[in-house]
Amino acid sequence: MRADARKNRDHLLAVAGTAITEQGVDVSLRDIARRADVGLATLLRHFPTREALLDALLRTSFDELTARAAELETSSSPEDALVSWLRDCVAWTTEYRGVTVLMAAAIEDTESALHASCVTLRAAGARLLTRAQAAGMARSDIDGTDLFALVAALAWLGDQPSLAPRADHLFDVVASAILTSAGSSHAKRERRPRARS
Amino acid sequence: MRADARKNRDHLLAVAGTAITEQGVDVSLRDIARRADVGLATLLRHFPTREALLDALLRTSFDELTARAAELETSSSPEDALVSWLRDCVAWTTEYRGVTVLMAAAIEDTESALHASCVTLRAAGARLLTRAQAAGMARSDIDGTDLFALVAALAWLGDQPSLAPRADHLFDVVASAILTSAGSSHAKRERRPRARS
DNA sequence: CGCTTATTCGGATCAGCGATCCACATAAAC
DNA sequence: GTTTATGTGGATCGCTGATCCGAATAAGCG
């Protein structure tokens, strides 16, 4: 890559980081290009899609989260490791308003630039979940995909200005649902008469 | 209102209903106008914003949901009433892909055309919740706003193609969190050492 | 019925978006 | 210093919702 191209790329990433922190991931790409004193076409050549830009921008964060999962796996109890990692994930998304929707779309879109990162994240969560389940600390009827979905839903809550104030509390509510049902009587109560067809 | 205006309004509502069912609430207003053989300006005069259009279109559904809440309040046990009403709410949103985001925004935006409907819905849920709490069937540390947020989050899950397959299962998980903590030991387990500041 | 008036309509236009094209500028290689 | 491969960004496209205003028309009245 040519030196000037590299410089533009790096500068664009820096500016994009600022813009996204300020305005969320839906910020206009034109705005980012303007703030970087660069043509829109240049931004779009370096990062052909919004997902590609985010992938470059967030890769470090993704890596940190997966590393943190590995670390917690050896340093904490299965229960604490799972819950505090989930908490970290949700807390992280608050720095990038709107990223949850893109991640939810990317997790099953193999063409998305964010796909690989999302899959890796889900796998990291699945490991912690399996460990907690093996220890009897987490309900056994959920898997990594369920966990990903729950974290996404909680992160989405935090993205909605009107619901965000409850996000922390509802995290605890959902966390209790993941943890507490392990072998409890609820597994039986849970079987309700009949779902509305 | 002049006869031709009324006709256009009704026709637009019918066409909008079809279009939104097919493509979700983010369908282009221009498309709706085109399909109704009407100018875009005409659509926007009858319904100045997307929210206004949805409000007119969904008012019936909103009324049905609140009526159903009242009905369940007298016909079912506090627990069943709450859970099956929540299930109805989530199921209803699946007919209008994307409506959840607009409702979350509208619940605290008094200017939104959807505001009143959302507030009414939250109140209906709050009544069922309070009743279940009084009967000791629902955890007491949540309120109507929390309930609204949880339903919104579950509905949002159903809107995401990649997460939708788990939505039903995760509804049960969340429902168990709402119900099962009533006086159980979990209330105590729940107090975790310390949330990350 | 014909005239007037208030209402409604929709084509045209605007600013915004992301995507794409291509003449031009320039770093790098020789 | 010249050549060449690479990078750039203004211009343009099709799309979005919002707005304006001359033309069309329904309703009211003599």
Side-chain angles (χ1 to χ4, degrees):
Chain A
M1 176 179 292
R2 237 165 69 171
D4 55 345
R6 162 111 265 142
K7 207 186 82 184
N8 268 338
R9 208 191 106 101
D10 293 346
H11 185 215
L12 275 168
L13 271 182
V15 170
T18 306
I20 288 176
T21 299
E22 288 174 7
Q23 307 185 227
V25 300
D26 289 332
V27 62
S28 152
L29 297 184
R30 230 183 203 89
D31 271 354
I32 296 177
R34 256 192 297 263
R35 290 169 64 158
D37 265 313
V38 147
L40 171 62
T42 298
L43 168 58
L44 286 164
R45 185 157 4 82
H46 284 296
F47 310 103
T49 66
R50 189 181 296 276
E51 283 75 23
L53 174 59
L54 280 167
D55 183 53
L57 197 58
L58 304 185
R59 186 162 291 282
T60 306
S61 300
F62 278 121
D63 290 346
E64 283 171 6
L65 278 173
T66 51
R68 173 126 179 88
E71 175 193 326
L72 284 165
E73 195 165 359
T74 62
S75 71
S76 300
S77 73
E79 181 184 8
D80 287 348
L82 177 60
V83 173
S84 70
W85 187 75
L86 295 180
R87 200 185 299 274
D88 286 349
C89 284
V90 174
W92 168 74
T93 65
T94 64
E95 296 178 47
Y96 301 97
R97 219 169 346 121
V99 76
T100 314
V101 174
L102 296 178
M103 288 177 62
I107 188 78
E108 78 165 6
D109 173 11
T110 55
E111 302 303 309
S112 168
L114 285 169
H115 179 71
S117 297
C118 291
V119 169
T120 304
L121 213 58
R122 178 179 59 189
R127 283 179 59 88
L128 289 176
L129 174 63
T130 303
R131 177 162 166 262
Q133 285 169 332
M137 305 304 297
R139 58 191 294 164
S140 55
D141 63 347
I142 58 178
D143 63 10
T145 299
D146 293 321
L147 204 62
F148 186 86
L150 285 174
V151 169
L154 287 166
W156 176 83
L157 276 182
D159 270 354
Q160 311 303 306
S162 62
L163 311 179
R166 313 297 177 125
D168 280 350
H169 179 220
L170 294 175
F171 176 89
D172 290 337
V173 171
V174 171
S176 79
I178 294 174
L179 294 178
T180 62
S181 291
S184 84
S185 62
H186 307 314
K188 278 140 257 160
R189 286 181 77 249
E190 191 54 23
R191 326 174 83 255
R192 61 198 65 264
R194 210 128 134 43
R196 26 170 279 137
S197 81
Chain B
M1 175 178 291
R2 238 165 70 171
D4 55 343
R6 160 112 267 142
K7 207 186 81 184
N8 267 338
R9 210 192 104 101
D10 294 346
H11 185 213
L12 275 168
L13 271 182
V15 170
T18 306
I20 288 176
T21 300
E22 289 174 8
Q23 306 184 229
V25 299
D26 289 331
V27 63
S28 153
L29 298 184
R30 229 182 205 90
D31 271 353
I32 297 178
R34 255 193 298 262
R35 290 168 64 156
D37 264 314
V38 146
L40 171 62
T42 299
L43 168 58
L44 286 165
R45 187 159 358 85
H46 285 296
F47 310 103
T49 65
R50 190 181 296 275
E51 284 75 23
L53 174 59
L54 280 167
D55 182 54
L57 197 59
L58 306 185
R59 188 161 289 281
T60 306
S61 300
F62 278 120
D63 291 347
E64 283 171 7
L65 279 173
T66 52
R68 174 126 179 88
E71 176 194 326
L72 284 165
E73 195 166 357
T74 63
S75 72
S76 299
S77 73
E79 180 183 9
D80 287 348
L82 177 61
V83 173
S84 69
W85 187 74
L86 295 180
R87 200 186 298 275
D88 286 350
C89 285
V90 175
W92 168 73
T93 66
T94 64
E95 296 178 47
Y96 300 96
R97 220 166 349 119
V99 78
T100 313
V101 174
L102 295 178
M103 288 177 62
I107 189 79
E108 79 164 5
D109 174 10
T110 55
E111 303 304 308
S112 168
L114 284 171
H115 179 71
S117 297
C118 291
V119 169
T120 304
L121 212 59
R122 179 179 58 189
R127 284 179 59 87
L128 290 175
L129 174 64
T130 303
R131 179 164 166 261
Q133 286 170 331
M137 305 305 296
R139 58 191 294 163
S140 55
D141 64 347
I142 59 178
D143 63 11
T145 299
D146 293 321
L147 205 61
F148 186 86
L150 286 174
V151 169
L154 288 166
W156 176 81
L157 276 182
D159 271 355
Q160 310 303 306
S162 62
L163 311 179
R166 312 300 178 120
D168 280 349
H169 179 220
L170 294 175
F171 176 90
D172 290 337
V173 171
V174 171
S176 78
I178 294 175
L179 295 177
T180 62
S181 292
S184 85
S185 63
H186 307 314
K188 277 139 261 160
R189 288 182 74 250
E190 189 56 20
R191 326 175 84 255
R192 61 197 64 263
R194 210 123 135 45
R196 20 172 287 137
S197 81

